[in-house]
Amino acid sequence: MTTPPPPSPSYKRGHVVLLLFPNSDLQTAKTRPALVIQADNLDSGLPQVIVCMITSRMFRAGHPSRVAIQLATPEGEQSGLLSDSVVMTDNVATVTDTAIERLIASSAPCLCLGSTRPASHTSPLIGFATVLCRTPHRHDDSHSAYRNKE
């Protein structure tokens, strides 16, 4: 008689997790925070989740598809991160549930990129990142904590 495996953790869009994030060479990895971006109702039947890398290297925030999170803001405090960070929406990975060490925050702040950039400087990922928002509101400059440096 075999014992059924334990239920897979249920990570939701907006959760901030600590995980072994694969490097671009797919041979090495680093433990770092990541933002779950996978749709909540996506039931692939596989023990995996889609995430965006989070880095504390703030000089990376200048790219139009990246979102700065500043801990000095109320939203930054909710992130569960230890330092000001950048969500790299241009660095996405699908990882197995076993790569995730733990949940850091289950109520991540809005990750809107703002809408005041000229169209010529707008990344195709802006619509993608705006989808990450779980809070009903207008997607405009009201999120100064998350507006990238231009």
Side-chain angles (χ1 to χ4, degrees):
M1 177 175 204
T2 61
T3 307
S8 178
S10 180
Y11 299 106
K12 304 274 187 216
R13 179 181 286 172
H15 283 178
V16 177
V17 295
L18 185 67
L19 57 71
L20 195 59
F21 196 94
N23 291 327
S24 58
D25 64 9
L26 300 178
Q27 303 296 315
T28 56
K30 178 181 177 181
T31 299
R32 64 169 62 252
L35 176 71
V36 175
I37 60 170
Q38 178 171 299
D40 291 343
N41 61 353
L42 179 65
D43 185 13
S44 68
L46 300 171
Q48 62 189 25
V49 65
I50 304 169
V51 296
C52 284
M53 181 180 110
I54 298 176
T55 181
S56 61
R57 310 228 15 196
M58 293 304 292
F59 72 89
R60 294 180 178 251
H63 193 275
S65 69
R66 298 176 183 166
V67 183
I69 298 177
Q70 299 172 357
L71 295 185
T73 64
E75 295 86 358
E77 291 175 6
Q78 292 177 337
S79 71
L81 298 169
L82 299 177
S83 62
D84 291 349
S85 299
V86 179
V87 178
M88 312 258 304
T89 65
D90 57 325
N91 194 341
V92 177
T94 301
V95 298
T96 61
D97 287 348
T98 58
I100 299 175
E101 291 183 17
R102 66 183 174 88
L103 179 67
I104 295 175
S106 59
S107 179
C110 174
L111 296 176
C112 304
L113 293 176
S115 60
T116 60
R117 273 190 202 84
S120 62
H121 299 297
T122 302
S123 163
L125 292 174
I126 281 191
F128 171 75
T130 301
V131 169
L132 300 178
C133 178
R134 298 179 74 97
T135 313
H137 62 273
R138 281 185 38 217
H139 293 97
D140 57 18
D141 271 349
S142 63
H143 301 296
S144 59
Y146 303 101
R147 195 175 319 120
N148 292 324
K149 298 175 186 171
E150 301 196 45

